[in-house]
Amino acid sequence: RSSQQGADGGDGSPSSAAAETPSSEDFSLSLLDTNLPAEAETELRSFIAKRLTKGALFEGMGNVASVGLSIPEYKVGCYYCRFQQENFLEMATLESDINAPEYVVCFLGGSEKEDTFRLELDKYIQSLKINLDLEQKSLETCVSPYLRSWFENAICPIQRVVQLFQEKLAFLLHAALSYTPVEVKNADERTEKDISRFLAAASLQGLVQEGTMTSLCIAMTEEQHKSIIIDCSGPQPQLHNAGSNRFCEDWMHAFVNGAEGGNPFLFRQILENFKLKAIQDINNLKRFIRQAEMNHYALFKCYMFLKNCGSGDILLKIVKVEHAEMPEARNVVTVLEEFMRE
């Protein structure tokens, strides 16, 4: 309803706009920062205005869409997110007549594959929202550089880890699947953050039961000798106490082979496929265990599956934790453990 500030847009860029009442047409958008050509910026602003008019932007939740712009790519993937400045939200609860500006940030890439990084970009915006101070001085020194480094900071960590670890990536994948604690030593801040993000992205968090995850974390932390040390003092990381299996080694090759193209979105897709296959294997094993409670032949099938899937060591740990309170299933798991040890 009043001409508020907005913020930024671009090709691997930022583009933000302000809107007071997104569900009505009675708002104005003003440009805060962009690295898009003028014509493309106007087209992007028109696209965002239509979304705002429809009430299609929810505070703090990013969306990804394909947008036609007058730049060589014709159609580009656009991640966009509406938010309010954190301190304005607090003031608005105290004084209801405060007219807090709202912003829309847009990040543009080559395709709609930004969707695979939606959670990372949401976190990136959250950090911006907390630290945002849109005085001109702060805009030039802090906000603009932060927005312009979105691709490097939010999209590329997985690719950088693959390039750094190469064949040793199998150990990281194994640590992520088995919830083994990892300590990083002698690394710069970016490398340490990249490794941490890779482990979080490769873990089955949110895909297996919350209780299972907690119990696994506790079990693996108690086995102190299994804590992995990654020493980054040399040109190639050195890993101590690290474990691997055939499953992780096979997927490591998929990552290393994908490195030739150098596409960070491809690495993310491989990582999602890796987790999907792990979840399928866990569900298959659980089904076999249910059958094995009443059928010795099914018990043998369980054993053969564990032996051939390439990830028997991890799957057995996961089902052991999940079936701890179920006597029949627990007995099956105990027998399987004995067979696998032999």
Side-chain angles (χ1 to χ4, degrees):
R1 294 209 152 80
S2 56
S3 180
Q4 306 285 0
Q5 284 183 305
D8 108 271
D11 180 13
S13 85
S15 181
S16 272
E20 195 207 345
T21 315
S23 56
S24 86
E25 290 189 35
D26 192 13
F27 60 83
S28 67
L29 295 176
S30 58
L31 180 69
L32 192 61
D33 187 25
T34 186
N35 62 2
L36 271 181
E39 189 182 350
E41 188 275 312
T42 306
E43 291 162 347
L44 181 62
R45 189 190 300 227
S46 166
F47 166 78
I48 293 297
K50 282 177 191 165
R51 295 286 167 131
L52 288 165
T53 302
K54 290 176 184 171
L57 273 76
F58 298 103
E59 215 275 340
M61 286 175 62
N63 298 273
V64 175
S66 186
V67 189
L69 300 177
S70 304
I71 48 180
E73 287 89 348
Y74 305 111
K75 286 230 171 202
V76 294
C78 175
Y79 166 92
Y80 56 97
C81 184
R82 177 173 76 88
F83 70 96
Q84 275 184 292
Q85 207 169 322
E86 197 85 329
N87 55 357
F88 267 115
L89 286 172
E90 289 163 15
M91 288 160 70
T93 54
L94 298 171
E95 302 174 45
S96 54
D97 59 337
I98 283 184
N99 196 9
E102 293 185 69
Y103 303 91
V104 179
V105 172
C106 305
F107 296 133
L108 301 185
S111 72
E112 285 186 58
K113 290 174 183 170
E114 280 83 351
D115 199 35
T116 56
F117 285 93
R118 189 195 305 250
L119 290 176
E120 281 88 345
L121 291 170
D122 281 350
K123 282 180 191 167
Y124 202 68
I125 298 298
Q126 190 62 29
S127 182
L128 172 72
K129 177 177 163 178
I130 292 163
N131 302 311
L132 191 61
D133 177 2
L134 287 168
E135 292 171 15
Q136 197 57 36
K137 203 163 78 175
S138 169
L139 176 65
E140 289 166 9
T141 58
C142 303
V143 177
S144 290
Y146 183 82
L147 288 168
R148 285 165 202 271
S149 61
W150 72 274
F151 193 81
E152 195 64 23
N153 290 339
I155 308 295
C156 294
I158 292 171
Q159 181 181 26
R160 285 197 293 265
V161 167
V162 173
Q163 289 166 344
L164 178 65
F165 280 82
Q166 297 291 319
E167 282 78 14
K168 292 179 182 176
L169 193 73
F171 298 117
L172 270 195
L173 293 170
H174 190 269
L177 274 191
S178 59
Y179 302 92
T180 307
V182 172
E183 288 177 50
V184 181
K185 295 184 173 178
N186 305 314
D188 58 70
E189 189 184 353
R190 188 174 84 162
T191 302
E192 198 166 339
K193 273 188 184 169
D194 284 353
I195 293 170
S196 170
R197 282 180 183 176
F198 183 91
L199 289 167
S203 82
L204 300 181
Q205 187 161 12
L207 298 175
V208 297
Q209 295 170 22
E210 207 57 44
T212 302
M213 221 179 62
T214 309
S215 303
L216 271 171
C217 288
I218 293 166
M220 294 309 288
T221 308
E222 282 170 356
E223 294 181 43
Q224 278 306 323
H225 61 284
K226 293 229 173 152
S227 195
I228 294 175
I229 311 292
I230 299 174
D231 185 355
C232 295
S233 53
Q236 261 245 311
Q238 297 301 313
L239 290 91
H240 307 282
N241 306 328
S244 185
N245 58 30
R246 189 159 40 83
F247 180 80
C248 294
E249 279 157 20
D250 289 346
W251 281 96
M252 172 273 291
H253 289 299
F255 280 101
V256 172
N257 293 339
E260 293 165 20
N263 181 346
F265 298 104
L266 172 65
F267 291 121
R268 184 49 182 264
Q269 197 53 60
I270 295 172
L271 200 56
E272 293 305 311
N273 294 343
F274 162 78
K275 295 197 296 189
L276 182 64
K277 183 67 176 84
I279 287 293
Q280 285 173 344
D281 285 351
I282 289 168
N283 290 338
N284 281 332
L285 180 58
K286 284 197 222 170
R287 194 176 76 249
F288 290 145
I289 287 173
R290 278 197 302 275
Q291 293 167 359
E293 288 172 20
M294 300 162 287
N295 180 322
H296 287 311
Y297 177 67
L299 179 62
F300 180 69
K301 264 171 72 179
C302 269
Y303 167 63
M304 291 309 292
F305 176 77
L306 280 170
K307 215 175 135 181
N308 296 327
C309 71
S311 195
D313 57 329
I314 293 174
L315 297 189
L316 206 50
K317 272 183 185 144
I318 291 172
V319 293
K320 184 179 181 180
V321 167
E322 283 200 3
H323 295 103
E325 307 300 319
M326 302 152 81
E328 284 97 347
R330 197 174 65 229
N331 291 339
V332 171
V333 172
T334 305
V335 171
L336 288 171
E337 276 186 313
E338 285 171 18
F339 270 101
M340 290 298 280
R341 266 200 300 274
E342 287 171 19

